[in-house]
Amino acid sequence: MKLCHWSDLPDGASRGFDPAGHGQDTVIVVRQGLRLHAYANVCPHDGVPMAWRKDRYLNTAGDRIVCAAHGALFDIVTGVCTLGPCLGDALTPVPLVLQANGDVHLANPKK
């Protein structure tokens, strides 16, 4: 399932997606240079969505994912909580596939 094109996500940006069409973003994608990191949009502390505003998943420094509900900080590369009430817990990774034409897709789950 296509989420976006590579060029739609600038370096250092984050964006939420609603691939199932439920009216709420369920996937977070963060671009760092040539790498994309994707996670389920659910805080491991209390199960709430992470953004404080549409597509705003990063702290002001842009070096951590932040949960708006309680300020927990998560490492962008690993998804591990580095500060907050869920310290040591991690976001759930979402596998992506980058197509040769630059389209970013959710990876097909193994059956």
Side-chain angles (χ1 to χ4, degrees):
M1 173 172 286
K2 181 180 175 180
L3 297 179
C4 67
H5 189 271
W6 172 264
S7 63
D8 296 332
L9 194 61
D11 187 15
S14 63
R15 186 169 165 195
F17 296 92
D18 178 17
H22 292 302
Q24 180 176 350
D25 292 337
T26 57
V27 176
I28 301 165
V29 179
V30 180
R31 179 174 168 192
Q32 285 189 316
L34 299 176
R35 297 197 60 199
L36 297 175
H37 307 280
Y39 300 99
N41 184 17
V42 177
C43 179
H45 173 63
D46 56 8
V48 299
M50 304 281 288
W52 58 274
R53 196 172 90 204
K54 175 73 175 141
D55 297 331
R56 302 296 185 192
Y57 295 97
L58 302 179
N59 62 356
T60 54
D63 63 353
R64 296 279 187 263
I65 298 169
V66 64
C67 177
H70 57 286
L73 297 177
F74 299 85
D75 182 79
I76 293 172
V77 175
T78 65
V80 173
C81 180
T82 59
L83 181 71
C86 49
L87 189 63
D89 288 341
L91 300 172
T92 302
V94 173
L96 299 176
V97 174
L98 180 60
Q99 302 288 327
N101 67 357
D103 286 346
V104 178
H105 289 255
L106 289 177
N108 289 332
K110 294 181 180 178
K111 297 182 181 186

